């Protein structure tokens, strides 16, 4: 099994925006939540309802709780 490479909070936010099409407008709040909760606990909790099954990206216009 291939190990996942460590990503900083900024890299995780960039990944969600660029690769998963999630709109995050409050990046500082996003960093705090990633620090407090962690990526997988935070994202896996609600992602299925908002993701396209074929592309595995968030539906167009999906915003995060970090958006103002």
């Amino acid at each position: 099994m291939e190990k996942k490479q460590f990503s900083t909070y900024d890299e995780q936010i960039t990944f969600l925006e660029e690769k998963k099409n999630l709109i995050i407008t409050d990046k500082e709040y996003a960093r705090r939540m990633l620090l407090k909760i962690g990526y997988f606990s935070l994202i896996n909790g609600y992602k299925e309802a908002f993701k396209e099954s074929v592309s595995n990206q968030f539906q167009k216009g999906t915003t995060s709780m970090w958006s103002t």
Side-chain angles (χ1 to χ4, degrees):
M1 177 158 52
E2 187 177 327
K3 288 187 176 185
K4 300 250 179 184
Q5 186 175 354
F6 173 81
S7 297
T8 66
Y9 296 124
D10 288 333
E11 290 169 336
Q12 292 172 28
I13 291 167
T14 298
F15 175 80
L16 288 168
E17 291 177 314
E18 293 178 0
K19 303 294 184 190
K20 298 296 183 177
N21 293 332
L22 187 64
I23 299 167
I24 302 171
T25 57
D26 190 343
K27 290 180 179 43
E28 185 55 41
Y29 183 69
R31 281 185 210 91
R32 289 195 312 267
M33 290 299 101
L34 287 167
L35 174 65
K36 181 177 181 178
I37 300 168
Y39 180 90
F40 289 104
S41 296
L42 189 63
I43 297 304
N44 287 339
Y46 73 92
K47 73 175 184 179
E48 294 306 320
F50 301 104
K51 291 185 88 175
E52 298 287 345
S53 59
V54 175
S55 68
N56 201 31
Q57 293 184 342
F58 286 96
Q59 297 171 13
K60 186 175 182 166
T62 300
T63 60
S64 71
M65 65 182 139
W66 310 312
S67 298
T68 55

